[in-house]
């Protein structure tokens, strides 16, 4: 689950694939930032992997980060928990993402990596850079629709402020 | 050797309420002078602090850096396979000597301060000073400068089941005596194999370190604050549980046996699969587990004074180390572990259950926020007190989790060490 990202960009990616992936990246970030979390699981294939694995552990090939879902039901359970259960001060994220570097194909999915910065704004207005890092993705593209088969969030820092209730 | 050099005596700083350890003056969570005394009297006092895992420094020369309270510490594997711990502060100007989280000095077998290259052996002895004799007979250290009078502060070190602990004073009781037999037995039980690190991260909390320690010993809050289990019908109210302490009430274990009402069939050694129909989760396999321990305990949190926690949440095993970061901040370092002889399926279960713990943990994330809620709440009322009477006014183990007996145990030793 910690395969190293293939090096170098793929040059022969069809424009339609690039468009579909770019759209997926943008919609993913907007859904989270605009508090439409119910959309979040649908950016993934049914059998999928979503993980937040900080950079030092990712580099060392350790399997445990702070978040691990290996099917869409688990993603939906997370959303239910965020909405109904977990206790936290109201806050929102703002994702800024780089263009995706599409690195190749792996077993029918496009591989890509994308940098991100997430600024967290608390209800009282306090803001901070909450997380910066990269997404290491495997994306299935079917016509105009792209979905993550695998999204490993690799934050540069293994230190998290207070709690991480909303997905990165 | 002191952080409290500028602090007034403790007795001038706080008067403990006559009710004793059922009351806690809120100023102890906010006062800078009290914080300084805690560094001297607790973290550098007669207590043992967790430093790391032996498996992190397998070879001679391997080292890690960590903290006891505010004090930076180097932990190193020596040539004979022993472990030394040194204060990471050069005696020259005070710079830290090792500035990476881990490394190896297996060739040189020494530590070199990056500032002026003063060199120390693994015992903390000052071996070499750069330009000691000057350059071309000019400059250099005075003739009578005695290097043997300047050395790194060395701690006492002991280990239990791969956990490394350190203490400053010669007078601290041996580690096993400090822990007491009940705690020793539980550590040896939880860490039943050779540990393997599966992940490490930290949670930065905006509260005084003691608010997290209280939280780790407070078995009254989990079912109330962490509603995940009850909302998704994952906990059985009839499950057996309780609180254990050492006979001086310094340390704490809370435990639950999740399947005590499920009959004997749950206790075989195979996987216990959660049935989809019984729960509110779409994928209840999150809480699939195997019965890892013959005592059938499925959850236990062990809190060792001052700032160490050993957790077993189903099959999620880990250590938590509290590092002080000022009066209103602290950092909790989580290390999730498995064992060398784990099967692939067992590792998978541990990975899946990692969702339960840490800063994004479904049953733990609130602990990162709740201390801050307290820290915000007490600001205007530092002359007031906290009230700690759940489960009575005493200390000692209890056959229930509806109690704050171990929170009182913490304050009992805190007051002894702080002299208030």
């Amino acid at each position: 689950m910690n395969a190293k990202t293939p090096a170098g960009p793929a040059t022969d990616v069809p424009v339609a694939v690039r468009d579909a992936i770019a759209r997926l990246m943008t919609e993913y970030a907007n859904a989270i930032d605009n508090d439409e979390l119910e959309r979040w699981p649908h950016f993934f294939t049914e059998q999928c992997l979503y993980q937040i694995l900080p950079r030092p552990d990712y580099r060392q090939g350790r399997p445990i980060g702070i978040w691990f879902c290996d099917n869409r039901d688990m993603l939906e359970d997370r959303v239910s928990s965020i909405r109904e259960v977990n206790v936290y001060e109201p806050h929102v994220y703002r994702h800024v993402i780089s263009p995706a570097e599409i690195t190749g194909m792996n077993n029918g999915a496009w591989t890509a990596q994308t940098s991100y910065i997430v600024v967290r704004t608390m209800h009282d207005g306090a803001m901070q850079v909450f997380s910066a890092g990269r997404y290491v993705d495997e994306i299935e593209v079917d016509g105009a629709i792209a979905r993550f088969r695998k999204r490993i969030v690799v934050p540069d820092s293994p230190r998290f402020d207070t709690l991480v209730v909303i997905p990165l | 050797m002191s952080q409290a050099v500028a602090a007034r005596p403790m007795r001038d700083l706080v008067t403990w309420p006559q009710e004793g350890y059922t009351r806690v003056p809120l100023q102890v969570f906010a006062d800078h002078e009290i914080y300084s005394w805690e560094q001297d009297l607790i973290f550098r006092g007669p207590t043992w602090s967790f430093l790391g895992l032996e498996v992190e420094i397998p070879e001679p020369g391997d080292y890690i850096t960590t903290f006891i309270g505010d004090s930076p510490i180097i932990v190193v594997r020596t040539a004979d396979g022993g472990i030394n711990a040194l204060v990471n502060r050069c005696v020259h100007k005070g710079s830290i000597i090792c500035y990476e989280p881990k490394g190896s000095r297996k060739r040189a077998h020494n530590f070199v301060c990056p500032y002026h290259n003063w060199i120390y052996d693994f015992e903390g002895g000052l071996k070499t000073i750069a330009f000691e004799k000057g350059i071309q007979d000019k400059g250099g250290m005075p003739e009578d400068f005695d290097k043997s009078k300047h050395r790194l502060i060395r701690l006492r070190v002991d280990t239990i089941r791969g956990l490394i602990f350190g203490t400053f004073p010669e007078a601290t009781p041996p580690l096993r005596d400090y822990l007491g037999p009940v705690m020793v037995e539980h550590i040896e039980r939880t860490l039943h194999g050779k540990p393997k690190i599966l992940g490490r991260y930290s949670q930065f909390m905006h509260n005084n370190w003691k608010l997290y320690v209280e939280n780790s010993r407070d078995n009254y809050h989990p079912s109330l604050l962490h509603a995940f289990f009850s909302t998704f019908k994952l906990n059985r109210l009839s499950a057996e549980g309780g609180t254990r302490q050492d006979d001086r009430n310094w340390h704490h274990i809370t435990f639950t046996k999740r399947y005590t009402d499920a009959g004997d069939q749950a206790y075989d050694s195979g996987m216990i699969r959660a049935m989809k129909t019984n729960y509110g989760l779409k994928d209840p396999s999150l809480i699939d587990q195997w019965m890892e321990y013959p005592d059938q305990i499925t959850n236990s949190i062990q809190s060792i004074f001052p700032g160490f926690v050993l957790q077993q949440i189903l099959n999620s095993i880990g250590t938590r180390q509290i590092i002080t970061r000022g009066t209103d901040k602290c950092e909790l370092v989580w290390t999730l572990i498995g064992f060398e002889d784990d099967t692939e399926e067992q590792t998978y279960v541990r990975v899946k259950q990692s969702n339960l713990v840490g800063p994004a943990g479904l049953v733990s994330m609130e602990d990162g926020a709740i201390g801050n809620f307290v820290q915000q709440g007490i600001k205007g009322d530092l002359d007031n007190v906290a009230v700690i009477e759940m489960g009575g006014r005493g200390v000692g183990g209890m056959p229930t989790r509806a109690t704050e007996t171990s929170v009182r145990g913490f304050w009992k030793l805190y007051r002894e060490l702080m002299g208030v």
Side-chain angles (χ1 to χ4, degrees):
Chain A
M1 66 190 75
N2 297 317
K4 292 279 173 281
T5 312
T11 50
D12 54 348
V13 184
V15 172
V17 168
R18 289 193 181 279
D19 285 351
I21 289 176
R23 212 161 35 241
L24 173 66
M25 298 289 179
T26 310
E27 288 179 13
Y28 177 98
N30 287 343
I32 293 173
D33 295 352
N34 299 338
D35 194 24
E36 296 162 0
L37 286 180
E38 284 68 17
R39 293 175 64 199
W40 176 65
H42 301 285
F43 298 119
F44 293 83
T45 57
E46 225 162 279
Q47 290 307 310
C48 60
L49 178 66
Y50 173 80
Q51 209 179 355
I52 302 177
L53 190 60
R55 185 171 182 152
D57 283 344
Y58 181 79
R59 194 181 56 229
Q60 292 174 73
R62 290 172 172 168
I64 290 188
I66 62 162
W67 198 313
F68 178 91
C69 295
D70 63 354
N71 61 61
R72 198 193 280 159
D73 285 345
M74 286 187 80
L75 300 174
E76 291 186 2
D77 286 337
R78 271 283 178 172
V79 174
S80 309
S81 185
I82 296 164
R83 293 296 193 211
E84 297 164 32
V85 181
N86 295 122
V87 177
Y88 55 93
E89 288 179 279
H91 61 273
V92 295
Y93 290 167
R94 183 62 53 192
H95 282 72
V96 180
I97 53 176
S98 76
E101 179 198 5
I102 300 170
T103 48
M105 264 288 212
N106 178 22
N107 212 4
W110 294 95
T111 55
Q113 59 175 350
T114 306
S115 290
Y116 73 86
I117 290 178
V118 170
V119 175
R120 184 181 64 182
T121 302
M122 305 302 293
H123 63 95
D124 66 357
M127 301 173 84
Q128 71 175 135
V129 175
F130 183 59
S131 184
R134 63 175 168 150
Y135 296 114
V136 179
D137 298 324
E138 289 182 14
I139 302 161
E140 289 183 10
V141 180
D142 183 6
I145 303 296
R147 286 200 174 88
F148 296 112
R149 182 167 77 189
K150 186 157 126 182
R151 164 150 271 198
I152 303 180
V153 187
V154 185
D156 290 334
S157 173
R159 179 197 282 182
F160 298 91
D161 189 276
T162 307
L163 51 74
V164 186
V165 61
I166 300 170
L168 290 170
Chain B
M1 275 277 292
S2 173
Q3 215 187 85
V5 280
R8 287 169 286 167
M10 264 308 290
R11 285 188 180 285
D12 295 352
L13 295 173
V14 62
T15 305
W16 210 273
Q18 59 182 15
E19 290 93 334
Y21 45 59
T22 63
R23 297 291 183 276
V24 178
L26 297 178
Q27 69 189 112
V28 303
F29 300 113
D31 188 290
H32 293 272
E33 290 175 285
I34 293 173
Y35 179 86
S36 299
W37 279 115
E38 288 169 351
Q39 296 297 326
D40 286 2
L41 301 176
I42 292 179
F43 294 102
R44 288 182 171 223
T47 61
W48 286 91
S49 288
F50 175 72
L51 298 175
L53 292 155
E54 281 200 70
V55 70
E56 297 181 77
I57 46 170
E59 301 295 330
D62 289 350
Y63 71 88
I64 52 173
T65 55
T66 183
F67 294 88
I68 294 182
D70 286 350
S71 299
I73 307 289
I74 306 166
V75 187
V76 63
R77 180 75 68 175
T78 58
D80 61 2
I83 296 169
N84 286 355
L86 306 165
V87 172
N88 190 6
R89 174 181 61 79
C90 182
V91 297
H92 177 212
K93 299 295 291 282
S95 168
I96 57 166
I97 298 160
C98 298
Y99 47 85
E100 293 178 312
K102 63 183 297 181
S104 176
R105 300 291 296 165
K106 71 176 87 172
R107 289 210 193 97
H109 267 260
N110 61 27
F111 293 117
V112 182
C113 179
Y115 201 169
H116 302 91
N117 288 14
W118 288 31
I119 297 177
Y120 302 88
D121 63 24
F122 288 169
E123 274 65 51
L126 175 58
K127 305 314 285 181
T128 317
I129 294 175
F131 306 140
E132 185 174 359
K133 304 289 181 207
I135 298 173
Q136 293 168 343
D137 294 327
K138 296 191 188 71
M141 298 294 284
E143 285 285 327
D144 60 352
F145 185 80
D146 184 355
K147 290 202 287 290
S148 72
K149 294 214 166 88
H150 300 268
R151 52 184 304 125
L152 304 182
I153 297 169
R154 186 172 163 188
L155 283 69
R156 286 165 60 209
V157 170
D158 201 354
T159 62
I160 176 167
R161 275 289 202 274
L163 306 178
I164 309 169
F165 286 83
T167 186
F168 280 81
E170 280 306 315
T172 314
L175 177 63
R176 278 168 175 72
D177 295 347
Y178 176 80
L179 294 170
V182 174
M183 295 297 136
V184 168
E185 189 244 357
H186 196 77
I187 291 172
E188 290 179 339
R189 161 243 181 240
T190 302
L191 300 174
H192 57 77
K194 188 180 180 204
K196 177 171 74 173
I197 295 177
L198 300 179
R200 172 171 287 167
Y201 45 73
S202 80
Q203 191 170 7
F204 197 84
M205 299 186 287
H206 297 258
N207 56 258
N208 186 275
W209 67 277
K210 299 186 294 299
L211 291 170
Y212 185 79
V213 175
E214 280 195 313
N215 177 279
S216 75
R217 292 162 170 252
D218 164 2
N219 36 14
Y220 168 36
H221 84 276
S223 63
L224 303 168
L225 176 64
H226 310 300
F228 182 81
F229 274 144
S230 49
T231 303
F232 292 109
K233 306 189 190 101
L234 305 180
N235 64 344
R236 297 163 186 267
L237 294 176
S238 53
E240 184 190 327
T243 311
R244 287 180 192 150
Q245 295 176 358
D246 58 298
D247 55 17
R248 301 139 311 183
N249 325 111
W250 295 354
H251 317 299
H252 157 82
I253 301 163
T254 181
F255 68 95
T256 314
K257 300 181 180 182
R258 181 178 160 201
Y259 291 100
T260 36
D261 58 349
D264 291 339
Q265 69 275 18
Y267 301 144
D268 69 35
S269 56
M271 288 293 300
I272 304 167
R273 307 271 177 204
M275 301 294 289
K276 187 158 184 153
T277 49
N278 294 347
Y279 303 100
L281 287 173
K282 292 190 87 169
D283 181 12
S285 73
L286 173 65
I287 52 159
D288 285 353
Q289 70 168 115
W290 79 95
M291 197 54 79
E292 188 164 359
Y293 297 97
D295 58 17
Q296 292 161 5
I297 287 174
T298 48
N299 263 41
S300 80
I301 302 292
Q302 180 170 20
S303 183
I304 303 297
F305 192 101
F308 175 67
V309 174
L310 181 63
Q311 72 162 48
Q312 175 216 344
I313 306 223
L314 312 184
N315 303 112
S316 173
I317 316 293
T319 61
R320 308 176 194 168
Q321 176 189 14
I322 299 169
I323 296 172
T324 57
R325 298 287 188 202
T327 55
D328 59 353
K329 295 181 187 68
C330 65
E331 186 170 355
L332 188 64
V333 179
W334 300 70
T335 306
L336 283 302
I337 63 173
F339 301 107
E340 286 294 341
D341 55 359
D342 283 351
T343 65
E344 234 172 81
E345 187 183 23
Q346 288 171 336
T347 300
Y348 173 72
V349 169
R350 296 197 202 280
V351 169
K352 199 152 186 173
Q353 290 175 359
S354 67
N355 284 300
L356 298 171
V357 302
L362 291 163
V363 297
S364 74
M365 69 169 78
E366 288 88 359
D367 292 330
I370 201 68
N372 178 242
F373 290 1
V374 175
Q375 201 79 41
Q376 291 178 45
I378 67 176
K379 266 188 182 154
D381 289 290
L382 294 178
D383 57 343
N384 219 311
V385 295
V387 179
I388 303 170
E389 297 198 11
M390 182 57 59
R393 300 191 175 96
V395 290
M398 295 179 81
T400 176
R401 283 162 290 153
T403 177
E404 295 172 305
T405 175
S406 297
V407 179
R408 290 186 287 274
F410 173 82
W411 293 111
K412 183 184 161 191
L413 180 54
Y414 180 90
R415 292 185 59 196
E416 281 174 28
L417 295 175
M418 296 289 280
V420 289

